[in-house]
Structures are given as structure tokens and as C-alpha cells.
Amino acid sequence: FDTAIEHASEGLAFGPLDRTDRGWLYLVLLDANIRRGDITAAREALRAWKELAVENKHFLARAGELQRQLEHLQQGFHISADERDNLD
């Protein structure tokens, strides 16, 4: 997943003018971060994806699938009372 994140980030650094190209790179980041369990990075990729307002129906379908996966991952994420005590 690290390689996918690295390549997608490099692709975004090139500043592709086409928002569909940028959108695909954000979807790669979203997917890889979900698989890695990095909720914060996945949320950021989803936010960036949504801002682009890409209209490609295939990309929209994939984004919907990934958003559901992220929501499922977030539901399983919680901090127990014992763990909260150790956050200070």
C-alpha cells in the first residue's frame, strides 16, 4: 500500500490539469489508506475527491464503494476507556 500511496502522491505533485486524473489519484489514496487502516488519511483523500466533483460514472461507483468501506472501518474504530487514560 505504501508504494501505491507514494506513486499517487507523486502523481498529484505533478499537478495534473484534468480533474478526472486527479480524481483517480485521490481514489488510489483513499483505497490504499483504507486498506492500511489509516482513517485520517482516507478521510482526507475522500474530502479531496469530493471537492473535485468528478462526474465519471465508473469513478463515482468506485468512490461510493470506498466510502462505504471507510464508514465500516470507522464504525469498528473506538478507543476504550483504558486507552483514553493513556492518551495524556
Side-chain angles (χ1 to χ4, degrees):
F1 307 120
D2 292 338
T3 302
I5 291 168
E6 180 182 339
H7 289 292
S9 297
E10 288 173 359
L12 287 166
F14 281 114
L17 299 177
D18 185 272
R19 70 180 172 174
T20 304
D21 291 341
R22 288 193 316 273
W24 180 251
L25 293 168
Y26 283 121
L27 289 179
V28 169
L29 288 175
L30 176 56
D31 187 18
N33 282 301
I34 288 170
R35 292 171 186 259
R36 209 168 64 162
D38 188 339
I39 293 172
T40 302
R43 281 176 159 159
E44 177 58 27
L46 181 60
R47 183 201 57 75
W49 155 260
K50 287 181 175 182
E51 285 181 1
L52 290 175
V54 173
E55 297 176 1
N56 180 299
K57 68 179 181 179
H58 301 290
F59 286 21
L60 290 169
R62 182 66 180 139
E65 292 169 7
L66 291 170
Q67 184 169 355
R68 286 187 292 282
Q69 289 177 22
L70 178 57
E71 289 166 359
H72 180 74
L73 181 64
Q74 291 176 119
Q75 289 173 356
F77 179 79
H78 68 280
I79 298 175
S80 70
D82 294 339
E83 291 170 318
R84 274 186 241 134
D85 293 339
N86 294 326
L87 292 175
D88 295 328

